[in-house]
Amino acid sequence: MGTYVLGDLQGCYDELRALLDRLGFDPALDRAWFVGDLVNRGPKSLECLRFVRGLGDSAVAVLGNHDLHLLAVAAGNTAKHNGDTGLGAVLAAPDRDELLHWLRHRPLLHRDETLGFTMIHAGLPPQWDVPTAAACAREVETQLQGDDHLAYFLDMYGNKPRRWDPALKGMKRLRFITNCFTRLRYCAMDGTLALKEKGPPGSQAAGTVPWYTHPTRASRGERIVFGHWSTHGYAALHNVWAIDTACLWGGALTALRIDGPVPEPSHYRCRGQADPLAYA
């Protein structure tokens, strides 16, 4: 049985199926982990949602910022909606309610103790170890899956608060947690989130570092795999694996096999659409 972690799909359904075929993926035997952003901007968001949901217990998917954006639009918050391709097909689908309910019940963090891997979409602030991150993830998941989830989506967007404080409460706390799991790339040395930085490492503003290189990162001893960072590309360093290889933008879709002694990447190249720096 193989366990494969797959990078951001963003509607690249054909590339997903081609890569799984190349791997010889068998849902009766193998497991697929998805780092989030199943939807948006790509040509077949609806097909991606249906396929991953249809894998049942053979798949685990964490939520990405574009997945949350779809849920926010469906909840009536169109403040950040600019006609992104692919979401209309989901919202008009006859099975939209079932798909959105399934998506809303995905986690923000997945941890497999046996394999020794944690999967998130974006990043962790330096103050969190993995148990703290898991507890914070459950707070947002409880809100998403509860009766008051519409209120969350109406107040989800925003860059503040920018620094972790255990005393944070209410929507400020939930927004900070959400931003870490689904948007974080860089932070300042004091742990302040630098959410406006989107380029590859080395292009960021002075005084900020990739979240995983922070010298006092509390999660440094854990193996973490993440996506979200299309300008970053594949990398295995600092006990983390970055696997968003910009499939949507003309790069590749990457799968990382994590059940062996050494994680092994596989890539499926595809034709692109635009500059990844245009993607938030």
Side-chain angles (χ1 to χ4, degrees):
M1 183 177 77
T3 301
Y4 302 91
V5 191
L6 290 103
D8 302 40
L9 301 183
Q10 289 200 256
C12 294
Y13 173 75
D14 294 339
E15 291 78 12
L16 168 63
R17 296 303 303 268
L19 179 54
L20 292 179
D21 287 347
R22 176 177 294 184
L23 296 171
F25 180 83
D26 182 349
L29 301 172
D30 302 320
R31 297 294 178 265
W33 294 12
F34 295 88
V35 297
D37 279 2
L38 302 180
V39 301
N40 206 12
R41 298 186 186 271
K44 295 184 178 180
S45 291
L46 177 59
E47 289 84 347
C48 283
L49 274 181
R50 285 173 172 166
F51 179 77
V52 176
R53 178 175 180 257
L55 289 174
D57 293 339
S58 297
V60 176
V62 294
L63 288 166
N65 53 309
H66 286 283
D67 306 316
L68 288 176
H69 176 68
L70 167 60
L71 291 168
V73 172
N77 185 350
T78 59
K80 300 290 184 178
H81 190 53
N82 56 5
D84 297 337
T85 59
L87 297 189
V90 177
L91 296 172
D95 53 345
R96 63 161 270 169
D97 291 343
E98 293 86 351
L99 292 170
L100 295 176
H101 182 271
W102 173 83
L103 189 63
R104 186 165 55 84
H105 285 73
R106 296 311 94 204
L108 286 169
L109 176 149
H110 177 69
R111 170 72 180 167
D112 188 302
E113 295 291 346
T114 300
L115 294 176
F117 265 93
T118 297
M119 175 175 63
I120 56 177
H121 178 63
L124 300 180
Q127 301 95 329
W128 291 357
D129 57 16
V130 168
T132 300
C136 288
R138 286 192 294 271
E139 293 183 42
V140 175
E141 291 160 10
T142 298
Q143 182 74 19
L144 285 172
Q145 298 166 19
D147 294 337
D148 200 28
H149 60 273
L150 292 179
Y152 167 87
F153 289 120
L154 292 178
D155 200 20
M156 178 183 73
Y157 295 113
N159 292 343
K160 296 180 180 180
R162 298 173 57 209
R163 193 170 187 273
W164 173 244
D165 181 345
L168 284 171
K169 296 184 183 301
M171 195 60 213
K172 289 182 179 180
R173 183 181 180 94
L174 296 178
R175 190 185 302 114
F176 180 90
I177 295 170
T178 301
N179 283 341
C180 290
F181 280 116
T182 65
R183 297 178 60 203
L184 179 60
R185 297 181 181 95
Y186 293 98
C187 62
M189 297 307 291
D190 67 352
T192 300
L193 309 187
L195 296 175
K196 294 184 179 181
E197 297 290 334
K198 301 177 183 179
S203 68
Q204 74 270 23
T208 62
V209 296
W211 67 268
Y212 57 81
T213 69
H214 194 283
T216 63
R217 177 168 64 90
S219 60
R220 185 172 290 271
E222 302 285 347
R223 296 197 296 178
I224 299 171
V225 60
F226 69 99
H228 181 59
W229 203 336
S230 62
T231 60
H232 190 298
Y234 178 81
L237 67 171
H238 299 279
N239 222 28
V240 302
W241 284 258
I243 66 166
D244 182 0
T245 46
C247 182
L248 177 66
W249 309 110
L253 182 62
T254 293
L256 183 72
R257 184 166 184 172
I258 61 171
D259 57 288
V262 179
E264 301 175 3
S266 299
H267 312 284
Y268 181 84
R269 307 235 27 117
C270 66
R271 298 176 64 184
Q273 299 182 18
D275 181 349
L277 284 173
Y279 145 65

